[in-house]
Amino acid sequence: GDDAWEKVFPTADARIVADEILESERPEVEELLINLLTVEISEDRRDAAKLIGLRRDINGAHGLRIAAQDRDGSVRVQAVKALGELRDQDSVGTCIAAMRDRSAQVRHCGVVAAGSIGQIEAAGPVVACLQDKQETIQVAAAATLHNLQSPETLQALLGCLLRASPLVIRGAVVSL
């Protein structure tokens, strides 16, 4: 390729240059990032998911939903984060599934992404995360309920005020 392409992707064995990708408006970059979600090297899949989210490439949402089921937890984390950044309404189911992941980081990202997307159908699963064994997920769930307000979420937040840890209570207060 040309000089601009080589600046973004310097050589076959060099790492991707994130700043150049974020600034590039070439459609080939978006397509390449989507394709990178399927390569063997997990670091490349992880970086591609992160960059799709940072670029707000909505065309990458389908690939991110698949990457959210990757065998590597760091790829799942970045894919779910990116779906939240895209605010893709079709991805709420993926965020709900992420809330049941074995990885606490993925569950946390699922809660936050569901709040960013803002579909009320995620309210029940987010309320369930108030009972997660990890306090950071409980806090994220309490704070996320601000974006998913309903009678059910209000009742759950009031319940947090009565029986939760100080950090969870703080998240609930912020949501109210």
Side-chain angles (χ1 to χ4, degrees):
D2 59 37
D3 291 338
W5 188 255
E6 286 181 17
K7 192 173 184 183
V8 174
F9 300 99
T11 64
D13 59 341
R15 298 294 299 158
I16 298 169
V17 182
D19 291 340
E20 298 297 333
I21 288 176
L22 292 175
E23 294 171 9
S24 177
E25 295 182 21
R26 294 181 66 162
E28 301 94 354
V29 172
E30 179 181 304
E31 184 179 330
L32 183 63
L33 288 173
I34 292 168
N35 289 335
L36 281 172
L37 291 171
T38 64
V39 299
E40 186 60 32
I41 302 169
S42 62
E43 291 85 3
D44 288 344
R45 295 192 310 272
R46 181 196 63 218
D47 291 348
K50 181 177 182 176
L51 289 167
I52 290 169
L54 291 173
R55 286 173 50 95
R56 307 284 198 272
D57 287 335
I58 193 69
N59 292 329
H62 176 73
L64 290 170
R65 288 192 293 272
I66 294 169
Q69 301 171 35
D70 196 277
R71 66 186 174 273
D72 185 283
S74 67
V75 176
R76 294 193 310 274
V77 164
Q78 290 304 325
V80 175
K81 275 185 182 180
L83 289 170
E85 290 168 0
L86 295 179
R87 292 176 169 77
D88 177 51
Q89 299 295 304
D90 294 333
S91 298
V92 72
T94 302
C95 296
I96 291 169
M99 292 180 220
R100 297 185 300 267
D101 195 274
R102 66 187 174 275
S103 163
Q105 285 183 301
V106 176
R107 293 194 309 273
H108 184 272
C109 290
V111 168
V112 173
S116 294
I117 293 171
Q119 282 193 357
I120 198 66
E121 71 183 84
V126 171
V127 167
C129 287
L130 290 169
Q131 305 303 318
D132 194 281
K133 59 186 174 252
Q134 295 287 324
E135 186 177 47
T136 57
I137 296 166
Q138 296 172 26
V139 172
T144 293
L145 289 174
H146 175 74
N147 295 330
L148 304 169
Q149 293 183 1
S150 72
E152 176 190 14
T153 61
L154 180 60
Q155 184 176 9
L157 288 169
L158 292 174
C160 285
L161 296 176
L162 299 175
R163 64 183 184 287
S165 72
L167 285 175
V168 178
I169 291 172
R170 179 184 247 181
V173 168
V174 168
S175 285
L176 291 171

